[in-house]
Amino acid sequence: MSDRPIRVLVVDDVEDDAYLLQAELGQRGVSIEYHRVDSEIDMAAELASDAWDLVISDHNMPGFDALAALEVLKRSGRDIPFIIHSAHISHQLAVSAMYDGVHDFIPKGQYERMVPVIERELRGAQARRAVRQADDRIQQLSYYDKLSALPNQNLFCDKVTEWLNTSQRQGRTARGALFVIDIDRFLRVNASFGYEAGNAVLKEVSQRLTEVLQSDVLLARLGGDEFGVFVPGIGERQSAEVFARWISKVFDSPFMKDGIELFLTPSTGVALIPTDGTQVYELLMSAETASAHAKKRGGNGFLFYDRTMNAASTERVALESDLRHAVERSELFLEFQPVIDAQSGTIVSAEALVRWNHPRLGRVPPDRFITLADETGLIVDIGAWVLNEACRCCRGWHVAGFSDMKVSVNVSAVQFGQPRLLEAVRDALSHSNLPPKALMLEITESSLMQDAESTAGMLRALRNMGVRISVDDFGTGYSSLSYLKRFPLDVIKIDKSFVRDLCVDEEDAAIVRAIIALAHSMRRSTIAEGVETAEQVELLKRENCEFFQGYYFGRPMNIERILERLEAQKVQA
């Protein structure tokens, strides 16, 4: 128990009995502060006005008893232990009262029994409070956006669905409007001033919208720089247009950052009920489609959803919704493309490639869903899954006896810009028990150059963990190669666009030779991508390219097939 006195609301008609209770408990090491009440009105008033740790009640009082006091406590909604302390209550009635909610019964005068009961009930109350606080925290995390404190998409959808269902039960036609607000070119704020500045702007946008919207309007942060607004009762397009213009005025005043005025504009999409949908996700897709079209037109405006809008937009939103659940539904899987040692001709590594088996569409092409994942930020969670799965598979090869095998994983520009990448890599290695040197992260040349200073720091941190780094698509992004000196890289992957015509295009051959020579001069290894012919292999060998990857050696395959190839290599050796 805490050092402070226990605050006890004593329900008793005799002040001497209350004072005796305090004195007897004090002699036994239990310090209490009490206030005595003996009527329903007084007890209700005390419960409403003050915080109590415990209620100890006599049973027989003029016009009031313990059972009536228990009902007063229940009506208050307070979770406070209730103990009957009386000489005038039958054992049968006491047991019945405990079934009704009384926590314990102590015959009057038995103070030695009272002490452990008080201690037990206070511990129980504390445990229940901890559970409630945890539940409240879970509720907060599940339904509210941490940055803005606004409802998140989950709560937004639940509330709109509840409103739609209520309208249906009441037999009335639901009318309303759902707005999706997307801030134009918001990424420039993050890129120019950093994520903290971007978060500050998002919080101010949230505050401005909250101030101008009425209480019956539901506002939520749907994610990133996207906000949702639901306005019940709007039945006409003209009224919705007035509301959309009102939303736009929120952005009229500049946002300040270190004395610099930042002018932001919204692209707002509007979906009307029931014209554009009668289910919340249908309405969201419609409004997001309209918002995307407003952005394509240059932003700083609003558009109503029109069914003639690009059908692909609707499909894209649906695909995004499905992609959000692909990991948890085990729809994603990995295939591996082998990397061959030029000298031995054996598999020494494999590149992990994520695939999506959609329950309705079948296998979705990677260029279709990876781009979508990048644009929506889902690539961060998907990338973490790929890291974990790839490390787990590589560890499986090690356990099978191929301890020299390595695995490489692509890291997108979005992932690379997230501080969480270090944690994701560390967790993947730890959970799989894979040695760090067995993991190589592949980062595109263009991603490396988005922020050279931050890039160098991230690469150093990864290298300090023991992870190897390769630059992918080399030669396609920047003509200046000086950054190779600054970045701690292990491998340079020669882009397949140069390898494809290597044997027939002298310019491509010259580029490949130059890349290999440059890499060797800086003690970097090279991997040639897209190798498809024996002629390409021979030419690359003459130029001392160390590793090959391409259809000539194998298309992407599942983990079992890689293991079969490794076993076959072992037999041949």
Side-chain angles (χ1 to χ4, degrees):
M1 291 187 295
S2 110
D3 293 335
R4 70 171 178 81
I6 301 167
R7 305 203 71 236
V8 181
L9 185 61
V10 176
V11 184
D12 203 313
D13 60 329
V14 178
E15 179 64 33
D16 288 348
D17 286 352
Y19 180 79
L20 181 62
L21 173 68
Q22 182 187 42
E24 293 289 345
L25 290 177
Q27 289 181 9
R28 291 163 176 80
V30 179
S31 174
I32 71 169
E33 288 180 357
Y34 77 89
H35 184 84
R36 185 183 65 84
V37 295
D38 57 9
S39 70
E40 179 177 342
I41 293 175
D42 289 346
M43 182 179 178
E46 285 300 324
L47 289 172
S49 64
D50 216 333
W52 300 98
D53 299 316
L54 196 65
V55 175
I56 298 179
S57 176
D58 191 8
H59 179 57
N60 278 333
M61 294 168 282
F64 199 44
D65 62 20
L67 299 182
L70 179 63
E71 288 303 313
V72 174
L73 177 60
K74 287 181 178 180
R75 288 198 301 270
S76 75
R78 300 288 186 90
D79 180 12
I80 304 174
F82 187 100
I83 299 171
I84 295 179
H85 183 220
S86 174
H88 302 289
I89 184 171
S90 68
H91 180 74
Q92 182 178 0
L93 184 58
V95 171
S96 175
M98 291 177 69
Y99 277 112
D100 198 33
V102 169
H103 290 80
D104 213 331
F105 159 67
I106 306 295
K108 207 137 193 174
Q110 296 187 14
Y111 301 106
E112 291 292 342
R113 283 187 57 192
M114 176 77 76
V115 172
V117 170
I118 290 176
E119 292 175 343
R120 181 195 69 205
E121 293 305 325
L122 290 179
R123 285 195 302 270
Q126 185 177 21
R128 291 194 298 275
R129 279 195 298 273
V131 170
R132 283 196 302 273
Q133 288 170 356
D135 287 343
D136 290 344
R137 181 59 178 157
I138 292 171
Q139 179 85 355
Q140 184 75 18
L141 292 173
S142 299
Y143 289 107
Y144 288 89
D145 174 58
K146 184 178 179 180
L147 176 66
S148 64
L150 292 175
N152 63 14
Q153 181 169 319
N154 291 334
L155 184 56
F156 183 77
C157 291
D158 287 351
K159 291 289 187 182
V160 175
T161 298
E162 181 182 345
W163 183 85
L164 291 167
N165 290 341
T166 300
S167 299
Q168 186 177 19
R169 285 195 303 269
Q170 294 175 351
R172 55 185 173 85
T173 302
R175 296 194 180 280
L178 192 151
F179 301 79
V180 168
I181 306 161
D182 195 339
I183 303 175
D184 300 327
R185 294 170 288 280
F186 180 75
L187 289 178
R188 291 186 180 181
V189 177
N190 286 337
S192 301
F193 299 98
Y195 287 101
E196 288 188 5
N199 288 342
V201 169
L202 289 173
K203 289 170 71 173
E204 187 171 347
V205 170
S206 305
Q207 184 177 346
R208 290 187 186 186
L209 287 170
T210 302
E211 289 172 354
V212 302
L213 298 179
Q214 296 178 354
S215 58
D216 62 337
V217 173
L218 178 62
L219 169 66
R221 184 182 176 212
L222 303 179
D225 59 346
E226 193 174 78
F227 294 82
V229 177
F230 174 64
V231 187
I234 288 185
E236 298 178 355
R237 191 182 181 99
Q238 185 177 3
S239 301
E241 182 174 334
V242 171
F243 198 92
R245 295 187 187 281
W246 182 253
I247 289 175
S248 297
K249 289 185 176 297
V250 166
F251 296 86
D252 286 349
S253 301
F255 298 81
M256 302 300 297
K257 169 59 182 173
D258 296 334
I260 300 173
E261 293 184 334
L262 304 178
F263 289 91
L264 301 177
T265 57
S267 290
T268 303
V270 189
L272 297 176
I273 307 171
T275 309
D276 301 323
T278 56
Q279 302 294 323
V280 65
Y281 287 108
E282 183 182 11
L283 292 163
L284 263 179
M285 284 190 291
S286 299
E288 285 182 350
T289 299
S291 174
H293 277 265
K295 188 178 286 285
K296 287 178 182 177
R297 290 189 178 186
N300 195 20
F302 63 90
L303 282 178
F304 285 87
Y305 174 71
D306 188 329
R307 295 185 187 277
T308 63
M309 287 178 174
N310 188 358
S313 296
T314 302
E315 182 183 348
R316 182 186 182 280
V317 176
L319 200 65
E320 178 188 337
S321 178
D322 292 339
L323 186 58
R324 290 183 182 276
H325 303 288
V327 173
E328 64 192 56
R329 293 172 180 168
S330 301
E331 295 169 5
L332 298 182
F333 64 97
L334 293 185
E335 289 185 333
F336 298 87
Q337 188 167 33
V339 175
I340 309 298
D341 182 276
Q343 296 301 317
S344 64
T346 59
I347 299 174
V348 293
S349 179
E351 180 181 356
L353 302 167
V354 64
R355 301 291 189 251
W356 183 13
N357 188 23
H358 192 283
R360 178 173 53 85
L361 302 174
R363 286 188 64 155
V364 180
D367 58 352
R368 188 175 173 193
F369 76 87
I370 293 296
T371 302
L372 178 61
D374 263 331
E375 293 175 356
T376 58
L378 293 172
I379 195 66
V380 175
D381 291 333
I382 292 174
W385 178 86
V386 171
L387 268 171
N388 279 283
E389 187 68 6
C391 290
R392 184 188 68 80
C393 291
C394 190
R395 178 59 181 165
W397 296 327
H398 288 195
V399 171
F402 303 98
S403 57
D404 291 334
M405 268 295 285
K406 298 176 176 60
V407 71
S408 59
V409 176
N410 292 285
V411 177
S412 75
V414 175
Q415 283 176 278
F416 195 67
Q418 295 277 335
R420 286 173 50 191
L421 177 62
L422 293 174
E423 181 182 351
V425 172
R426 189 179 296 111
D427 288 348
L429 292 171
S430 174
H431 294 159
S432 63
N433 199 27
L434 183 72
K437 66 180 181 180
L439 174 64
M440 183 162 69
L441 301 182
E442 297 191 7
I443 303 161
T444 64
E445 184 180 12
S446 56
S447 298
L448 289 175
M449 291 305 296
Q450 286 188 4
D451 185 344
E453 293 302 323
S454 297
T455 294
M458 177 66 80
L459 293 178
R460 282 193 294 270
L462 290 168
R463 281 289 301 277
N464 289 339
M465 292 170 60
V467 173
R468 301 169 70 237
I469 308 293
S470 75
V471 54
D472 199 7
D473 301 339
F474 186 81
T476 61
Y478 291 83
S479 57
S480 173
L481 305 178
S482 61
Y483 70 88
L484 286 178
K485 292 177 60 178
R486 302 178 56 197
F487 296 158
L489 304 171
D490 298 285
V491 176
I492 293 175
K493 296 191 76 172
I494 305 169
D495 188 68
K496 60 187 176 182
S497 64
F498 301 121
V499 175
R500 182 176 55 244
D501 298 325
L502 179 65
C503 299
V504 296
D505 189 320
E506 182 53 37
E507 288 188 1
D508 282 349
I511 291 173
V512 169
R513 281 194 296 269
I515 292 174
I516 295 173
L518 177 69
H520 290 171
S521 71
M522 307 182 90
R523 296 189 177 90
R524 269 73 160 169
S525 302
T526 54
I527 299 176
E529 295 184 288
V531 179
E532 298 183 356
T533 68
E535 291 79 9
Q536 291 170 342
V537 172
E538 289 306 314
L539 196 154
L540 288 164
K541 279 185 176 180
R542 287 200 302 269
E543 299 299 334
N544 295 319
C545 180
E546 291 92 341
F547 303 100
F548 306 140
Q549 182 180 359
Y551 289 173
Y552 184 77
F553 302 99
R555 291 175 177 270
M557 58 192 74
N558 60 32
I559 181 177
E560 292 81 7
R561 178 60 181 146
I562 290 285
L563 193 55
E564 289 174 8
R565 293 272 299 267
L566 292 171
E567 294 283 2
Q569 274 181 193
K570 187 175 181 181
V571 171
Q572 292 170 2

